Amino acid sequence: MESGCPAPGVLRVAILLSYCSILCNYKAIEMPSHQTYGGSWKFLTFIDLVIQAVFFGICVLTDLSSLLTRGSGNQEQERQLKKLISLRDWMLAVLAFPVGVFVVAVFWIIYAYDREMIYPKLLDNFIPGWLNHGMHTTVLPFILIEMRTSHHAYPSRSSGLAAICTFSVGYILWVCWIHHVTGMWVYPFLEHIGPGARIVFFGSTTILMNFLYLLGEVLNSYIWDTQRKPPSWQVT
């Protein structure tokens, strides 16, 4: 189901192109951290950018498939389109929304407290301000625009929470493995807290991811259930 937005497909194409531009510009930067173990893939920000680009790529592909399938009467094409829509909806629910909101919220909270703990001033010599906002700010309005312009069917709560927990734990294990191999933590602030505090932090991030999944589910239902309800003057 689409909202009254005249061209959600055009918005999706524009957002996809913006993510492609951000990724290309980011990968073109020659930073020392990109040359170390794990490369760009050790940073959740980069992983999130890939998730968002893939998600909006699937959205655009779904729009194109819908245009080609409309009125064709081909049941096989319609089945394939339904599978594509299900993949789009699953990816928004489990990855694009919770991971995207997590990256924006946690980055700016830590940045406001002490930027050296998450984004040292030295990085300003490599990453221009517009690119920083492309990685850590515009993700939020883009995903909210998508949620507002299209209804997404969420998976069952148990399977959705299991999926986001798997992603969260997987990334935490990846960060710990990088520390095991290199002796350095991916994020500077992890160097300044003890093992117990790290366990609490990692546990808290997993809980926050689960909360953001539930927030997305509630927000999606609120937006679209509200639109389905008739105006009060029509209720008899």
Side-chain angles (χ1 to χ4, degrees):
M1 179 187 296
E2 306 293 333
S3 75
C5 176
V10 175
L11 285 174
R12 288 168 175 158
V13 171
I15 292 172
L16 174 61
L17 291 175
S18 72
Y19 276 124
C20 290
S21 174
I22 290 168
L23 281 167
C24 289
N25 279 277
Y26 179 75
K27 291 298 291 181
I29 297 172
E30 295 184 2
M31 290 195 301
S33 59
H34 289 179
Q35 312 305 319
T36 57
Y37 186 81
S40 302
W41 291 98
K42 58 179 171 284
F43 300 112
L44 186 59
T45 292
F46 178 77
I47 294 172
D48 177 51
L49 287 174
V50 174
I51 288 172
Q52 303 298 330
V54 171
F55 168 69
F56 279 100
I58 292 173
C59 287
V60 171
L61 183 59
T62 302
D63 290 337
L64 291 174
S65 299
S66 180
L67 286 173
L68 294 174
T69 304
R70 187 176 300 166
S72 68
N74 189 314
Q75 292 186 348
E76 179 59 29
Q77 286 183 348
E78 290 178 359
R79 279 196 295 269
Q80 294 302 319
L81 176 60
K82 287 180 180 178
K83 290 180 180 179
L84 201 56
I85 292 172
S86 296
L87 175 61
R88 179 200 69 183
D89 292 350
W90 183 91
M91 195 163 182
L92 175 127
V94 172
L95 293 174
F97 183 86
V99 178
V101 176
F102 178 90
V103 166
V104 174
V106 172
F107 175 84
W108 287 113
I109 288 171
I110 298 177
Y111 186 98
Y113 176 74
D114 182 359
R115 69 168 295 178
E116 294 299 319
M117 295 175 65
I118 190 74
Y119 191 81
K121 195 170 181 61
L122 176 66
L123 291 179
D124 290 343
N125 297 323
F126 299 95
I127 302 176
W130 70 266
L131 185 56
N132 179 30
H133 284 291
M135 297 188 296
H136 297 116
T137 305
T138 57
V139 173
L140 181 57
F142 284 168
I143 203 67
L144 290 177
I145 288 171
E146 170 60 27
M147 186 169 279
R148 177 62 183 81
T149 56
S150 296
H151 174 263
H152 297 273
Y154 266 61
S156 68
R157 183 167 294 179
S158 59
S159 64
L161 290 174
I164 191 61
C165 277
T166 300
F167 174 86
S168 301
V169 173
Y171 181 70
I172 290 168
L173 292 175
W174 171 231
V175 169
C176 292
W177 175 254
I178 292 172
H179 177 261
H180 172 73
V181 172
T182 65
M184 296 183 64
W185 289 103
V186 173
Y187 302 102
F189 70 90
L190 292 173
E191 300 279 358
H192 304 292
I193 60 178
R198 289 192 199 106
I199 292 173
V200 171
F201 174 77
F202 289 144
S204 299
T205 57
T206 303
I207 293 172
L208 179 56
M209 282 283 200
N210 280 267
F211 170 77
L212 291 173
Y213 172 86
L214 295 174
L215 176 64
E217 182 182 61
V218 170
L219 185 60
N220 182 67
S221 296
Y222 173 77
I223 291 171
W224 293 96
D225 287 350
T226 300
Q227 290 197 358
R228 292 192 189 102
K229 292 179 181 177
S232 57
W233 55 267
Q234 289 185 355
V235 178
T236 57

